[in-house]
């Protein structure tokens, strides 16, 4: 059980807001040493892990491509596209994206979406465009709320959708650990099937939160619009009184 101290290091590191890469690296080294691995074996494990996960470096190609697309008007085209669907509100659009993200993750296409390649260049402009069509110009605080919900829809869809795919890393890790440690025989297909009800409930619960977002945006924008004239009147009041008093004197 002492090997699990590496997990404690990860929790403490993230709780104290340390550098994630440094926290994971130190925790990995500590776990390897506590597991009676030599420094050379720990280094070899890091090398094998990097070699088997070279796909994580794909961002070096995707980020410049996304940058060029945005420079040539990708976000503007996304806003123009969403403006053609009159009944598609921000919440409804995000529910559709949540369902699409879950379905694609459930069949193993986990890299099809994501914050960098899909949410920022496509989902956020379309969600903001739907809100602008209904409410007009949006304050920055409202834009930040829409962006956070767009990122949340992507995370929830991926997290609960990928567990329905029997060849995903988390499923293989669970079955491998349980079968090796407790001498059981759990098939990845069984774990994936039991993840389907959880994914369905996650879609229903988070989809309801996204649909409620439309009412929240309408209420916040109505409150901001009602408060703006009052604030302007209060700000101009003392100046007007001062001018009148000056004329009386």
């Amino acid at each position: 059980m002492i090997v699990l101290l590496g997990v404690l290091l990860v929790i403490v590191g993230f709780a104290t807001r340390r550098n994630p890469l440094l926290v994971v690296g130190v925790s990995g080294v500590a776990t390897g040493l506590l597991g009676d691995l030599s420094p050379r074996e720990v280094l070899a494990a890091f090398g094998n892990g990097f070699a088997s996960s070279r796909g994580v470096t794909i961002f070096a190609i995707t980020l410049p491509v996304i940058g060029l697309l945005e420079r040539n008007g990708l976000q503007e085209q996304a806003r123009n596209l969403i403006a053609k669907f009159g009944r598609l509100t921000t919440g409804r659009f995000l529910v559709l994206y949540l369902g699409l993200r879950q379905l694609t993750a459930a069949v193993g296409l986990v890299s099809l979406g994501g914050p960098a390649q899909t949410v920022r260049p496509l989902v956020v402009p379309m969600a903001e465009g739907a809100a602008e069509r209904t409410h007009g110009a949006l304050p920055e605080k409202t834009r930040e709320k829409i962006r956070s919900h767009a990122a949340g829809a992507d995370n929830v869809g991926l997290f609960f959708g990928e567990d329905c795919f029997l060849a995903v890393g988390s499923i293989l890790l669970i079955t491998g650990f349980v079968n090796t440690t407790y001498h059981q025989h759990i098939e990845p297909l069984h774990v994936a099937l039991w993840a389907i009800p959880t994914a369905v409930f996650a879609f229903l619960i988070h989809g309801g939160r996204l649909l409620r977002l439309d009412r929240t945006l309408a209420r916040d924008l109505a409150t901001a619009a009602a408060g703006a004239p009052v604030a302007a009147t209060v700000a101009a009041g003392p100046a007007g009184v001062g001018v009148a008093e000056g004329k009386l004197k």
Side-chain angles (χ1 to χ4, degrees), residues 144-168:
E144 291 297 333
K145 179 176 289 188
I146 294 174
R147 293 166 186 172
S148 63
H149 277 79
D154 184 87
N155 288 334
V156 172
L158 173 63
F159 185 84
F160 290 98
E162 67 176 355
D163 287 342
C164 301
F165 184 60
L166 57 89
V168 76

Side-chain angles (χ1 to χ4, degrees), residues 18-78:
R18 303 297 179 183
N19 187 292
L21 183 61
L22 179 62
V23 170
V24 173
V26 172
S27 301
V29 173
T31 302
L33 296 178
L34 292 173
D36 294 331
L37 295 180
S38 65
R40 182 176 180 179
E41 291 173 329
V42 172
L43 184 61
F46 273 96
N48 292 332
F50 179 79
S52 62
S53 305
R54 291 190 297 270
V56 299
T57 59
I58 196 67
F59 73 90
I61 300 176
T62 58
L63 287 183
V65 172
I66 294 172
L68 288 174
L69 290 174
E70 289 189 0
R71 184 176 181 181
N72 288 276
L74 177 63
Q75 293 191 358
E76 287 75 9
Q77 293 300 323

Side-chain angles (χ1 to χ4, degrees), residues 44-45 66 93 101 135 151 160 165 167 174 180 191 212 223 233 246:
I66 294 172
F93 169 71
R101 185 68 165 129
H135 305 288
F160 290 98
F165 184 60
I174 292 171
T180 302
V191 181
R212 194 175 61 186
T223 303
T233 303

Side-chain angles (χ1 to χ4, degrees), residues 71-134:
R71 184 176 181 181
N72 288 276
L74 177 63
Q75 293 191 358
E76 287 75 9
Q77 293 300 323
R79 285 190 173 91
N80 294 335
L81 177 63
I82 202 67
K84 298 178 181 179
F85 300 91
R87 301 190 59 172
L88 194 60
T89 62
T90 301
R92 293 172 183 173
F93 169 71
L94 291 180
V95 169
L96 291 176
Y97 179 72
L98 171 64
L100 178 64
R101 185 68 165 129
Q102 258 193 343
L103 291 175
T104 54
V107 295
L109 300 176
V110 295
S111 299
L112 188 61
Q117 61 267 38
T118 305
V119 175
R120 184 183 185 277
L122 288 175
V123 178
V124 167
M126 296 177 78
E128 291 180 349
E132 289 172 350
R133 186 187 62 243
T134 305

